[in-house]
Amino acid sequence: MATAMHRDEAEAHLRAAGLKVTAPRLAVLEAVTGNGHLDADAVHARVVDALPGTPLQSVYNVLGALHGAGLLRRIEPAGSAALYESRIGDNHHHVVCTRCHAVADVDCVVGEAPCLVPSTAGGFAIHTAEVTFWGLCADCQREATG
Amino acid sequence: MATAMHRDEAEAHLRAAGLKVTAPRLAVLEAVTGNGHLDADAVHARVVDALPGTPLQSVYNVLGALHGAGLLRRIEPAGSAALYESRIGDNHHHVVCTRCHAVADVDCVVGEAPCLVPSTAGGFAIHTAEVTFWGLCADCQREATG
DNA sequence: GCAGTTGTTTTGAATGGATCAAAACAACTG
DNA sequence: CAGTTGTTTTGATCCATTCAAAACAACTGC
C-alpha cells in the first residue's frame, strides 16, 4: 500500500475524465490505487468489502471504463488474467514470476527508456513498447534452491 | 513462406527432442514453419489440408508438446489468442497492430539485445525479457489516414 | 517381423475469463 | 425537481483453452 487514494481525489479524476462519479467507480479506484497489480477478481474482493453485494460484472464494467479513460493501466502477461494498476503516466515495465505469477514494477533498465525508441519496423508505425521480464520472485527463488 | 520444413528435417527435430514421430506432429511443424505467427485455429486449418479430419484438440496437444520441447515459440499478445512461430533460438521481438492484430518480427532495435540485460529488479532473478511493440501495420495506416 | 509398453491421438466434456444485451436505476443538466 | 443520458445490474453467452478417459500407434526388445 503505497499511496492510497482519497475519495475527493478519486472524484476529481473521474470528473476530469468526463465520467460520472459513482460508488462502484470510487470503490474500484480506491481498491486498485497503491495496491500493485490486481486482476478483476482481486479488485472485486476489495470492492465488496467497501460496497457489499457489488457484482463482478460491475467491476468489469468499471475497470473497462477507467482503463478506457486512462485512469488505470492494464497489462495481460501470458498465463495470467488481465491485471490493473494505478501507476500510469510513466511507462514502466514489469517482471512476472514464472512460478507463482507475482508481478512487480521495473523501471526502464538501460538509461532513458531504451526499449521505447519509436521506430518503423516492417512498415509498422510504432507508438508503444511494452517490456515484460520473466524470472523468479524472491520467495520462489528460496523455495526452488532450498 | 520463408523456409518450408522438409519432412525428414522435422523428423530429426522431433527425435532430437525425444518425441515420437507422428503424422500430426509433422503436419503441425510444417504448418507453422516459415508461416509467421499462427494461432491454434490457423494451424488447424493448415493441418487439415494435409491431414483431413484432424481435430482441433490434437493441434492443441501437439502445439503444447512442440512448445514444451522448445521446437516452437509461443507468444500471447494482449487481445490475441496464443500465437506460435517456428523462429526460435534467437530472441527477437514483435510488433502487433492495434487495429487488426497483425504481428511481425522485430529484431532488437537498439544495438545488441539492450532490452535483455539480465538484472535483478525487486528481488526477481530475471532470465528472459520479452518486448512487444504496438502500432499500426502498413495496411491499417493506409485505411486510417485514407 | 511381432508383441508389449508407453506415449499420442481422439472423443467428449468442462473451465474460466471476459463480453454482450436489455432492463432497472442513479448522476448530472437546466 | 423532472428529464436525459450514462451506469449498474441481471442474466446469458462466447471463445480459447484445458481436463479426462478411451482408442490407438510409435518405438523397444525379442
Side-chain angles (χ1 to χ4, degrees), chain A residues 97-99 135-146, chain B residues 125:
Chain A
C97 180
T98 44
R99 193 158 166 282
L136 280 183
C137 71
D139 287 353
C140 288
Q141 285 175 61
R142 242 171 266 127
E143 293 190 31
T145 59

Side-chain angles (χ1 to χ4, degrees), chain B residues 19-20 22 25 55 57-58 61:
Chain B
L19 293 173
K20 286 185 180 170
T22 68
R25 285 178 176 170
Q57 175 62 50
S58 295
N61 287 344

